[in-house]
Structure formats: structure tokens, C-alpha cells
């Protein structure tokens, strides 16, 4: 049976006996410091963003022994279009060239070796952009001569798998 240690006013435990009641080779050992509470991120990650639309997620955390105003926030990501403000807002507007997946790590630190982090993959979803006809129409034709025009177009979504299909309607 373990004997109850006696603690002096300096936080030193005086217990010269082990579990069997035999004398120990030591007679004092310091008490461990109380464990500091760690911050906990409360925000649920939003792992989906849409091309050309504002992405915004505000992060909050709680810490049992530190005021939330004194928490230190930081972040890392391979998404160049994202920012993280001093008010814990992760935001940005991804464009067509940003469609894809990115890693994000948001970290909160209490300054007392307590921290929490949120690591996630942020997926930017493509929206279909319309193709653009680049060729200007020729509005005049010469009688008895072939009218020939080659149309060209661009589509910034070709890199995302779009296929251009041409269709012509005429009332002649």
C-alpha cells in the first residue's frame, strides 16, 4: 500500500517509503508543475473553395488558462492566393489558374508551450468559363466569289478538360 506523501511549504514531497513500505534511497522529490491547459481550435475547416468566389473562414480557439486575446496565430500554405489576417480570417479569391488542391496549416499557440493546429487540404473547384470567339466577322461578301472565314476561339478551361465543339446556324 502506498503511503500518503507529506508536502512542505516549498512543494517538496517527503515520503521515504515505496509501495511495500520499505525505505527508499531518496527522501525528497519535487512536485511537477501543474499541467498548463492547451488551446483548442474550435473552427471547422472549410475545405472547398470555388473559382472566382471569395473564400473566407474565421478561426477561433479556446484556452482554459489564457485569454483568447493573447493567443498567437500563424499559418502556412502552398496557396499563393490565400491570406491570413490578424483577426484570424483565412481568405482569398482563387482564379482559374488556381483550380486544384492546396495544403493549409493553421496554428494557435498560447506562449506556454501549448498549441493546436489544423491541417487540411483545400480544393478549388472550377467553374465553367465560356469560350471566346477571337475572329472578327467579315460582314461583306463579293458576288460570285467564295466566302471563306476561319474562326478561332480561346477557352481558359481547356486545361480542365473542356472540349470546343463548333456549330453554325444560317438563315440563307
Amino acid at each position: 500500500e502506498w503511503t500518503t506523501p507529506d508536502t512542505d511549504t516549498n512543494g517538496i514531497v517527503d515520503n521515504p517509503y515505496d509501495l511495500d513500505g520499505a525505505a527508499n534511497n531518496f527522501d525528497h522529490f519535487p512536485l511537477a508543475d501543474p499541467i498548463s491547459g492547451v488551446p483548442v481550435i474550435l473552427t471547422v475547416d472549410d475545405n472547398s473553395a470555388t473559382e472566382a468566389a471569395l473564400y473566407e473562414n474565421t478561426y477561433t480557439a479556446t484556452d482554459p488558462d489564457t485569454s483568447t486575446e493573447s493567443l498567437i496565430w500563424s499559418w502556412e500554405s502552398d496557396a499563393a492566393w490565400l491570406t491570413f489576417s490578424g483577426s484570424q480570417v483565412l481568405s482569398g479569391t482563387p482564379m482559374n489558374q488556381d483550380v486544384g488542391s492546396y495544403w493549409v496549416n493553421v496554428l494557435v499557440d498560447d506562449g506556454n508551450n501549448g498549441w493546436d493546429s489544423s491541417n487540411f487540404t483545400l480544393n478549388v473547384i472550377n467553374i465553367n468559363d465560356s469560350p471566346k470567339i477571337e475572329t472578327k466577322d467579315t460582314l461583306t461578301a463579293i458576288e460570285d466569289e467564295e466566302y471563306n472565314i476561319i474562326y478561332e476561339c480561346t477557352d481558359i478551361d481547356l486545361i480542365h478538360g473542356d472540349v470546343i465543339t463548333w456549330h453554325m446556324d444560317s438563315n440563307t
Side-chain angles (χ1 to χ4, degrees), residues 132-135 150-154 163-168:
K132 180 180 177 189
I133 296 176
E134 300 291 339
T135 307
I150 298 174
Y151 283 96
E152 295 181 8
C153 76
T154 57
V163 176
I164 296 175
T165 303
W166 290 91
H167 178 78
M168 183 181 99

Side-chain angles (χ1 to χ4, degrees), residues 44-138:
V44 175
D45 298 318
D46 182 357
N47 62 356
S48 182
T50 303
E51 171 197 340
L54 177 64
Y55 170 89
E56 189 172 75
N57 201 8
T58 303
Y59 281 80
T60 60
T62 185
D63 189 326
D65 56 4
T66 303
S67 74
T68 56
E69 292 83 31
S70 62
L71 294 174
I72 302 161
W73 291 86
S74 59
W75 76 294
E76 295 179 304
S77 178
D78 61 344
W81 56 271
L82 271 178
T83 62
F84 192 74
S85 71
S87 56
Q88 297 89 248
V89 178
L90 183 65
S91 65
T93 303
M95 301 311 289
N96 191 71
Q97 67 272 16
D98 301 315
V99 170
S101 296
Y102 300 89
W103 61 267
V104 179
N105 181 25
V106 177
L107 180 89
V108 62
D109 188 321
D110 66 4
N112 295 312
N113 296 319
W115 57 273
D116 189 19
S117 68
S118 180
N119 300 295
F120 65 99
T121 300
L122 177 58
N123 298 301
V124 177
I125 300 166
N126 182 52
I127 58 168
N128 190 23
D129 298 290
S130 298
K132 180 180 177 189
I133 296 176
E134 300 291 339
T135 307
K136 297 205 183 294
D137 287 324
T138 302

